Amino acid sequence: MLRHVVRRPSLVALLVTLSACFAQAADQPPKNAAGEQSTYKISLLLVERAVTEKAAGADDAKPRTLSADEARHYQEAVGKEASAKVLSAPTVVTLAGREALMTVGGEHTFVTGYDGDKPVLKQVPVGIELKTTPRPAADGRVSLDLELKTTDLAGVVKMELPAEAGQPARAIELPTTRQRALSTTLLLPPGSASIVAGQRQAVGTTERRTEILVTVEEFRQ
């Protein structure tokens, strides 16, 4: 007599299957109202400028939303401002829900000591690191997570190691860095822009800060 044996899936197997399904669903980019995967073009203008009138730039308390014309006027004003310094102007295209990472900068190399006759080198990275993640909102706007970190060379202490064990006196350099961070979430209509103000910093007798002009639009090929 032939017998048909029906094997029931174990609880462990069911849990593994469910976990895989949830992971696959979570990995899918969010979709817009039409059920399509949204793709966004994000343009950034990072500017360091002197703090004068708040009306000329961003408010320290909250970001300002600008129309396309207002964003263009802001860029023109920055271009004419003698004290303004454009740090970077990157553009990136990314899927909704996917983080985009942009870095601008380099490294400084310093001799911080000696191992016998061999100099000990230290690489100090400086520059800008920007992370942004766009997501479509229910009302048609775009929710944009923004994280900015800037690293500057604050100073270098120069010292001279005394001569010893037949070695001549040798100079070393001890660098210090300064980091500034900004994290915010913007809610923008596609095609519009926003100005975000960073931390203020005293430079000599003036006060300066970093401002970010963020423009987001739907990207269609």
Side-chain angles (χ1 to χ4, degrees):
M1 178 182 297
L2 296 176
R3 294 183 179 181
H4 295 282
V5 179
V6 178
R7 295 184 177 179
R8 298 178 182 275
S10 67
L11 179 59
V12 173
L14 286 174
L15 290 175
V16 170
T17 303
L18 287 173
S19 298
C21 291
F22 286 137
Q24 184 177 7
D27 190 52
Q28 295 298 321
K31 297 182 179 181
N32 56 22
E36 303 171 338
Q37 290 184 356
S38 298
T39 303
Y40 297 102
K41 178 182 177 181
I42 304 168
S43 301
L44 303 161
L45 179 66
L46 282 75
V47 181
E48 184 182 273
R49 60 195 311 212
V51 178
T52 52
E53 298 179 4
K54 288 187 177 182
D59 193 309
D60 287 338
K62 59 182 179 179
R64 285 178 51 202
T65 301
L66 307 178
S67 65
D69 287 340
E70 289 173 326
R72 185 172 62 254
H73 292 157
Y74 173 84
Q75 294 181 61
E76 292 174 353
V78 167
K80 297 176 182 178
E81 189 175 311
S83 63
K85 178 182 178 182
V86 176
L87 303 177
S88 180
T91 298
V92 67
V93 176
T94 184
L95 286 172
R98 298 292 174 85
E99 181 183 89
L101 174 63
M102 291 165 275
T103 58
V104 179
E107 289 184 337
H108 293 282
T109 304
F110 298 93
V111 177
T112 58
Y114 286 87
D115 183 6
D117 293 331
K118 184 179 179 182
V120 177
L121 304 180
K122 181 178 181 180
Q123 305 287 340
V124 179
V126 295
I128 300 168
E129 180 182 283
L130 182 67
K131 297 179 182 179
T132 180
T133 306
R135 295 182 178 85
D139 60 0
R141 292 185 291 178
V142 182
S143 175
L144 193 65
D145 295 335
L146 196 67
E147 294 182 22
L148 173 70
K149 183 176 72 174
T150 60
T151 304
D152 303 318
L153 191 64
V156 180
V157 177
K158 296 184 178 181
M159 301 177 60
E160 186 172 279
L161 297 178
E164 59 178 11
Q167 296 288 351
R170 292 171 291 186
I172 62 172
E173 296 177 317
L174 304 177
T176 58
T177 58
R178 175 181 55 245
Q179 288 192 344
R180 288 168 288 172
L182 182 149
S183 178
T184 188
T185 298
L186 306 175
L187 197 58
L188 299 173
S192 65
S194 179
I195 304 178
V196 182
Q199 295 178 348
R200 297 188 180 206
Q201 175 188 351
V203 180
T205 58
T206 63
E207 195 174 26
R208 300 179 66 83
R209 71 177 171 200
T210 302
E211 294 180 1
I212 313 169
L213 177 68
V214 185
T215 304
V216 60
E217 55 186 308
E218 290 191 66
F219 180 79
R220 301 184 184 277
Q221 295 182 341

